[in-house]
Amino acid sequence: SSGINAEYGKCCAKLTKQTTFAERPSPNFNSHWTTYSHPEYPGLLVLKHAFTAQGLQTLVRRVLLEYPAGLGSTEQKQRVRSNLSCLGEEYPDGRSYWSGCDKAGVELVEKLRWISTGYHYDWSKREYRAGFKSPFPGDLSDLARSLVRSLARSLAESLQLPAWFAPDSALVNFYHPGDTLSFHQDELEWELRAPLLSVSVGLRAVLCVGGCDRETVPVSLLLDHGDVVVLSGESRTAYHAVPRVFSAFDVKICQHTPEQTNSTTEQHSPEQAAVEQQTSHPNKYCSRWIDDFVAGLSSEYLETIDSSLSSEKFRKMIAEYLPRTRINISIRQVENHE
């Protein structure tokens, strides 16, 4: 962990800190948040404390429970794809991957690695195709567009973000401690002038971002619950990787944070303070936000997700799953509308 802290401390010392104001009042976003940029990686942004606690809980419900919940019904199968559906794992209506098992008796939730909605990427042919898509969730579109509009207004002098941004694809990845993602580019979308937004939920992880070629030395970023990374401009097609996902007990990771490195004192709203309190320490944020999330799941709501599970058992499964999971929601625009 000392090597990670040293490298991350060097990165923090070079970050430029700016305040971004939300375009309008929203229960999902704080009134303002901190946006970091790096002079050597133009177009790379890291947003800290943009979401309210309520906004993050709503997002987790959508991507963890609601989007994949209908994989057993014909109608919902047309809305999302997942590694489970691609493997031919199916289960009856009224049930979900939380109660399903494969032929070997392994719980499907343990095999869930990704889901996609909107334009679907064809992994076998490495391409997007016209017509190979499902309706894109309006709430994800509104979320991404609101963030981009807020950034465009606050950072207009230093960064050009398109007002016409129209996200139409999202990939949700589920990681666990020890999982990695090798260096790659997201360059197959037809519209590369539009930014790519990546929201981190759950466990801390290291994100390495380089340049548009493999010669650029990558910068290492430590991402917390609720952080948002934006790849835009020159960094839109930058090589990036996730070399490590930490467990909830890696408490020595990151003695340096952007806030600690920058000596400027900043006043935070009560909503921001609540989120910061949840993300100030790995064990604390893993227990605090998850406890709040699980407590907010009513029995009636859980029954709509999976009627075969008792609400007590369902909550217990979720409470055991989230402390060992990192969820990454990557939102982008595939189609060129010109």
Side-chain angles (χ1 to χ4, degrees), residues 135-202:
F136 189 67
D139 53 349
L140 271 190
S141 176
D142 292 342
L143 179 151
R145 295 180 69 180
S146 181
L147 281 174
V148 168
R149 286 195 298 264
S150 299
L151 289 168
R153 291 177 58 185
S154 297
L155 308 178
E157 295 183 1
S158 58
L159 184 69
Q160 296 297 318
L161 290 170
W164 44 258
F165 177 51
D168 52 20
S169 177
L171 179 65
V172 184
N173 290 104
F174 300 86
Y175 298 97
H176 303 290
D179 288 347
T180 61
L181 180 65
S182 60
F183 272 101
H184 66 283
Q185 293 175 290
D186 289 296
E187 60 174 351
L188 297 177
E189 292 77 21
W190 307 325
E191 180 53 87
L192 294 176
R193 295 172 300 171
L196 185 152
L197 282 69
S198 178
V199 184
S200 293
V201 174

Side-chain angles (χ1 to χ4, degrees), residues 200-215:
S200 293
V201 174
L203 293 175
R204 283 178 165 174
V206 173
L207 173 69
C208 295
V209 181
C212 296
D213 56 57
R214 293 185 178 272
E215 305 304 317

